[in-house]
C-alpha cells in the first residue's frame, strides 16, 4: 500500500489561496479507527467558515472536509471489512482531526456508515451531509403530504435536497432564491413556487401563510419566518448562511402563540444514527424519487477554485471533489 497521499491542506485562515495541495503521510491506523480511501467528498459552507478563521477551536494546518464517501482501506472494525463502501459525516471531521479533502482519511469507527449502492461516486458524495440534514429537518418539521412548505435559501445544497424530498412526499413547495437565473433549477427540483429574495419578507402564494418553514438562511430571517408561518405552524432552522447568533431574541415576544420553533443539526445524524436514513436516501435517489442536485465535480487540484465558486454564491446544489488521482 502507498505510504504517502495527496491532500488539500488549509495552512492558515484566509481566502481560497490558503488551500495548498501537499504530499502527506498516509495516516497510521490505530485501535478504534479505520483508514478510508476517499472516493468523493461534498463541499460545505461550514468549511468555508473554518477556512476563513471563524472556527476558534480549529488549529492549522488542517485537512478540511466534514464528510466523505469511499471504501475501507484498512479496517479495525470486523463488521466493516476492507472494500466496504462507507460514508461519514461530522463528528469533528476536518476540525479536531483531518477530514475528507484527501486521498485517504483516518476516521473513528463510530462515524462510519456502510452503504449499499450502484450510484457513481460523484452522486453518492453529494448525498451524506446534504440529504441527512434535509431529511432530519423534514422529519423535525413533521410535515405531511398536501401541506405547504416554504424553503428559505432554496438554492443551497440542503435547500435543493429538501425540495427534492418534499416533492417526493407530495408537499406543496415555495422556495426563495436571490438569483433569478436559478429559478429553473428550483423548478426542476420540484419547487412549485419560486420566490425572488430581494431582502424583504417573501410574499408566499398562500393567504394564510405556509404551514411549515425550513429556514436555511438562519439568524437574519428566523424572526421573519416566525411571522410568516401560519398560526400553529412550525419553523425549523437547519442552516446558518447568515451566521450563528440571533441578537436581542425575545422568545415570548417573537414566537407567536402556538407556533413552534425547532432546529436540526447534522451532527445528530452521524454514525449509526444516520446509517439507515442515508441508505433510505440512496434507495430513493436510485429509484428517481429524489434528485442528487450536483452543481459541479472537480479534482483535488481544483479545491481552491471550488471554494471560490461557493463563496461567490455561484453554486446551485452540491459541489463535489473526487480526490483520487487518475491512474
Amino acid at each position: 500500500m502507498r505510504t504517502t497521499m495527496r491532500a488539500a491542506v488549509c495552512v492558515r485562515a484566509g481566502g481560497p489561496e490558503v488551500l495548498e495541495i501537499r504530499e502527506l503521510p498516509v495516516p497510521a491506523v490505530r485501535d478504534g479507527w479505520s483508514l478510508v480511501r476517499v472516493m468523493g467528498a461534498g463541499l460545505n459552507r461550514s468549511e468555508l467558515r473554518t477556512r476563513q478563521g471563524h472556527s476558534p477551536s480549529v488549529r492549522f494546518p488542517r485537512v478540511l472536509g466534514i464528510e466523505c464517501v469511499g471504501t475501507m482501506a484498512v479496517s479495525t472494525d470486523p463488521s466493516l471489512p476492507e472494500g466496504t463502501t462507507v460514508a461519514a459525516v461530522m463528528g469533528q471531521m476536518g476540525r479536531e482531526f483531518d477530514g475528507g479533502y484527501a486521498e485517504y482519511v483516518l476516521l473513528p469507527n463510530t462515524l462510519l456508515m456502510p452503504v449499499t449502492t450502484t450510484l457513481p461516486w460523484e452522486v453518492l458524495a453529494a448525498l451524506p451531509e446534504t440529504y441527512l440534514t434535509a431529511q432530519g429537518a423534514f422529519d423535525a418539521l413533521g410535515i405531511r403530504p398536501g401541506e405547504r412548505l416554504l424553503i428559505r435559501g432554496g438554492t443551497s445544497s440542503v435547500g435543493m435536497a429538501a425540495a427534492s424530498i418534499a416533492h417526493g412526499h407530495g408537499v406543496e413547495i415555495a422556495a426563495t432564491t436571490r438569483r433569478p437565473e436559478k429559478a429553473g433549477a428550483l423548478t426542476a427540483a420540484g419547487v412549485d413556487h419560486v420566490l425572488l429574495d430581494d431582502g424583504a419578507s417573501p410574499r408566499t402564494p398562500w393567504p394564510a401563510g405556509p404551514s411549515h418553514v425550513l429556514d436555511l438562511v438562519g439568524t437574519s430571517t428566523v424572526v421573519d419566518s416566525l411571522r410568516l408561518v401560519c398560526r400553529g405552524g412550525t419553523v425549523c432552522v437547519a442552516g446558518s448562511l447568515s451566521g450563528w447568533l440571533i441578537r436581542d431574541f425575545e422568545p415570548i415576544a417573537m414566537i407567536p402563540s402556538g407556533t413552534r420553533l425547532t432546529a436540526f443539526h447534522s451532527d445528530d445524524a452521524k454514525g449509526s444514527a444516520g446509517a439507515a436514513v442515508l441508505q433510505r436516501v440512496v434507495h430513493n435517489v436510485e429509484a428517481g424519487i429524489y434528485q442528487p442536485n450536483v452543481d459541479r465535480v472537480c479534482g483535488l487540484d481544483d479545491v481552491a477554485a471550488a471554494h471560490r465558486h461557493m463563496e461567490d454564491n455561484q453554486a446551485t446544489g452540491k459541489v463535489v471533489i473526487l480526490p483520487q488521482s487518475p491512474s
Side-chain angles (χ1 to χ4, degrees), residues 203-217:
R203 297 184 61 183
T204 72
W206 308 299
S211 57
H212 301 75
V213 178
L214 173 56
D215 199 323
L216 301 171
V217 178

Side-chain angles (χ1 to χ4, degrees), residues 266-321:
S266 58
D267 203 46
D268 295 337
K270 66 179 183 288
S272 59
V277 178
L278 181 59
Q279 188 65 68
R280 175 157 49 99
V281 165
V282 167
H283 285 323
N284 283 332
V285 172
E286 290 174 334
I289 299 170
Y290 296 170
Q291 301 301 316
N293 302 311
V294 178
D295 176 84
R296 63 171 51 183
V297 179
C298 62
L300 199 59
D301 291 322
D302 301 315
V303 167
H307 264 238
R308 190 170 290 108
H309 179 69
M310 284 199 302
E311 200 161 9
D312 292 342
N313 296 314
Q314 296 297 315
T316 304
K318 195 73 170 180
V319 178
V320 171
I321 59 169

Side-chain angles (χ1 to χ4, degrees), residues 27-45:
V29 174
R30 62 181 186 268
D31 189 41
W33 295 61
S34 292
L35 187 68
V36 174
R37 185 179 187 225
V38 181
M39 302 304 296
L43 272 60
N44 298 277
R45 282 192 172 267

Side-chain angles (χ1 to χ4, degrees), residues 29-35 72 74-84 86 107-114 272:
V29 174
R30 62 181 186 268
D31 189 41
W33 295 61
S34 292
L35 187 68
M72 298 292 284
V74 181
S75 177
T76 65
D77 184 341
S79 69
L80 298 173
E82 294 176 10
T84 301
V86 293
L107 296 174
N109 293 337
T110 53
L111 285 190
L112 299 174
M113 297 180 282
S272 59

Side-chain angles (χ1 to χ4, degrees), residues 231-283:
R231 186 60 63 95
T234 302
V235 174
C236 178
V237 181
S240 56
L241 297 175
S242 59
W244 301 105
L245 300 175
I246 305 174
R247 301 192 181 279
D248 303 318
F249 183 63
E250 302 177 36
I252 294 176
M254 295 178 174
I255 303 177
S257 298
T259 298
R260 291 177 288 275
L261 174 62
T262 187
F264 181 79
H265 192 287
S266 58
D267 203 46
D268 295 337
K270 66 179 183 288
S272 59
V277 178
L278 181 59
Q279 188 65 68
R280 175 157 49 99
V281 165
V282 167
H283 285 323

